[in-house]
Amino acid sequence: MKDKPIYVTEPFLPPLDEFTIYLKQIWKNKTLTNGGLFHQQLEKALCEYLGVEHISLFNNGTVGLITALQALKIKGEVITTPYSFVATAHSLLWNGIEPVFVDIDPSTLNLDPSKIEAAITSKTTAIMPVHCYGHPCDVEAIQEIADRHNLKVIYDAAHAFGVQCDCGSVLKHGDLSVLSFHATKVFNTFEGGAIVCPNAETKRLIDRLKNFGFVDEVTVNVAGINGKMSEVNAAFGLVQLNHIDAALEGRKTADTLYRALLKDVMGIRFLEGSGERVANYSYFPIMVESSYPLTRDELYHRLKQSNIFARRYFYPLISEFPVYKKFPSASPGMLPVATKASQEVLCLPLYSSLPEVEQLRIVSLIKNI
Ligand code: T4K
């Protein structure tokens, strides 16, 4: 008999009866969406939990990214990383912006600040870095470059729920930060996302943009979109927030165990922990190097045969997809670190309810090749 399938992640589900209480309330109130009570409560609760001042909820992270670019009126070229989920660059194309791919830092797999300046042209208007796997970017170096060249910074913070840096929440950096609350994320609302805004005025603009541009019942002053989060999603977020610390603790335990078990395996390297900075343990990427007896893809398939569904996040690179290949900055020769990382990376299953016995099984498969 085959072992039970283990996926790269499993959504964190709080007790169902706690959610039912909220659903009954929705049935009673009959407000299903358009900024209802739970929407307002979740915005407030998230500001408190994350340590930020203004949040605008969205129906998913991708629409959040698209709207963030609209809010800042970004045009021309934007410098970004090829080592991310494709939604990062798609948000640029949907705004008619050319993505300019810049290589990543081998130790963090985030955009390498030392390579940014060489990619700036007269058309560059912004930088869109990603806090990949929840590891904070070098926010100070990026801001310094942005200030020097008068560029905006929009962080794709899809992986960075709850991540701290030396000066508090990493989400406070840049002009805007965009979170994803997709089912596969540390904190989820089934589908969902949010933009962290620096002030009330920007939040008001973004709130309008996500509601078709309505100022009031009869006034529309910008071409907005429908990016609203429903009451059901917001209610789920509120329930989940009550249990998020336990979920993060479960992830931390699993992360620690992997690190201990895999530390001396020849040819398997993993990223350093975030040190003093607080991580959220959202992924557990390993790099399968040439000294390991199998290639990354062979290991991926070998695990699959044993019903372990690890994932190659992020392979292929965004710059390798046909829709992006045409851009000059997509040339693999200019992206050696990202290319190597995408060929070596394998994200092992990591979630709060991952049983220790399954982790032991995964590690013994990796060790006993
Ligand atoms: N920026 C970055 C850096 C991102 O990583 C993402 C999304 C975005 C922007 C866009 O944010 P959103 O618009 O999505 O809010 C997944 C997610 O769909 C995507 O949200 C995520 N990043 C990306 C990294 O991963 P897939 O295609 O790999 O997901 P899928 O359906 O294969 O799920 C992976 C595993 O999770 C499944 O094998 C089983 C488990 N799973 C999944 C779902 C959906 C469940 O157990 N239950 C579920 O409901 O993209």
Side-chain angles (χ1 to χ4, degrees), residues 281-357:
Y281 314 100
S282 50
Y283 294 84
F284 196 84
I286 57 168
M287 311 311 278
V288 184
E289 298 183 323
S290 56
S291 52
Y292 186 73
L294 300 182
T295 64
R296 186 275 312 273
D297 285 349
E298 285 166 344
L299 177 60
Y300 164 81
H301 288 294
R302 193 68 74 83
L303 291 174
K304 216 170 180 178
Q305 282 162 9
S306 301
N307 253 359
I308 309 286
F309 296 92
R311 290 295 289 268
R312 290 164 290 185
Y313 298 132
F314 290 101
Y315 165 82
L317 292 177
I318 301 178
S319 47
E320 288 168 345
F321 290 118
V323 52
Y324 292 100
K325 260 192 156 138
K326 62 181 181 221
F327 295 110
S329 63
S331 158
M334 290 165 71
L335 306 167
V337 181
T339 305
K340 184 164 181 284
S342 85
Q343 288 163 356
E344 291 184 347
V345 73
L346 194 59
C347 286
L348 299 183
L350 183 72
Y351 44 91
S352 57
S353 54
L354 179 62
E356 189 178 315
V357 54

Side-chain angles (χ1 to χ4, degrees), residues 60-63 65-66 69 80 84-94 128 130 156 158 314 318 321 324:
N60 61 62
T62 307
V63 174
L65 285 170
I66 291 170
L69 291 160
T80 190
S84 180
F85 189 60
V86 73
T88 309
H90 278 358
S91 71
L92 299 172
L93 286 197
W94 273 66
M128 184 181 270
V130 177
D156 179 337
F314 290 101
I318 301 178
F321 290 118
Y324 292 100

Side-chain angles (χ1 to χ4, degrees), residues 57-78:
L57 292 173
F58 272 77
N59 49 9
N60 61 62
T62 307
V63 174
L65 285 170
I66 291 170
T67 308
L69 291 160
Q70 285 279 323
L72 299 178
K73 297 192 168 59
I74 303 297
K75 301 265 181 307
E77 295 175 2
V78 169

Side-chain angles (χ1 to χ4, degrees), residues 87-135:
T88 309
H90 278 358
S91 71
L92 299 172
L93 286 197
W94 273 66
N95 278 292
I97 295 164
E98 177 172 337
V100 175
F101 299 109
V102 162
D103 211 359
I104 55 172
D105 178 314
S107 58
T108 62
L109 306 183
N110 287 329
L111 201 55
D112 184 343
S114 72
K115 310 241 172 76
I116 292 177
E117 275 192 296
I120 295 175
T121 73
S122 57
K123 294 192 197 140
T124 312
T125 55
I127 309 172
M128 184 181 270
V130 177
H131 301 297
C132 193
Y133 309 131
H135 289 258

